[in-house]
Amino acid sequence: MTTIKTTCDHCGEIHLGPSDIALELGTSDTDGTYRFVCPDCFSIQRRPATSRVVSILLATGVSYAVNIESRGPITMFEVDQFAEALNDDDWFERFVSS
Ligand SMILES: [Zn+2]
């Protein structure tokens, strides 16, 4: 199985499989972001993906979604929504299925 090496803010270097990563692509350029849950501390992490990283991730079979609207920075409202969502017991299921 392909192993993808990345870093966690808390744990340092970690290894993930393609199914552990969700890639988000914008429509205007080839750059995107990818997110994953650290297998060691279970925190959700988000990283920018350059076009090179995007092509590597796609080649390993990472699932991806295209953002229809190009969007600006994350707003405080979204941060609040996110923090609120974490209070629910099923946040992880919803995170994985979204
Ligand atoms: Zn971690």
Side-chain angles (χ1 to χ4, degrees):
M1 192 183 85
T2 309
T3 303
I4 297 156
K5 196 163 69 174
T6 187
T7 54
C8 167
D9 289 338
H10 310 286
C11 311
E13 193 172 283
I14 55 171
H15 294 87
L16 302 167
S19 60
D20 298 322
I21 294 177
L23 181 64
E24 292 174 5
L25 301 174
T27 49
S28 53
D29 52 41
T30 51
D31 289 4
T33 57
Y34 65 96
R35 63 168 196 243
F36 57 92
V37 176
C38 174
D40 293 333
C41 67
F42 302 106
S43 66
I44 299 172
Q45 313 267 328
R46 187 182 283 265
R47 293 278 184 281
T50 62
S51 57
R52 183 170 163 274
V53 170
V54 168
S55 51
I56 290 170
L57 291 176
L58 290 177
T60 60
V62 167
S63 65
Y64 67 95
V66 176
N67 290 327
I68 304 300
E69 296 176 41
S70 64
R71 42 166 309 143
I74 295 172
T75 64
M76 280 310 293
F77 176 71
E78 289 171 307
V79 172
D80 286 346
Q81 271 190 322
F82 176 73
E84 216 166 272
L86 291 179
N87 291 328
D88 295 340
D89 288 338
D90 63 342
W91 69 266
F92 184 73
E93 279 78 8
R94 285 190 286 120
F95 169 76
V96 170
S97 64
S98 66

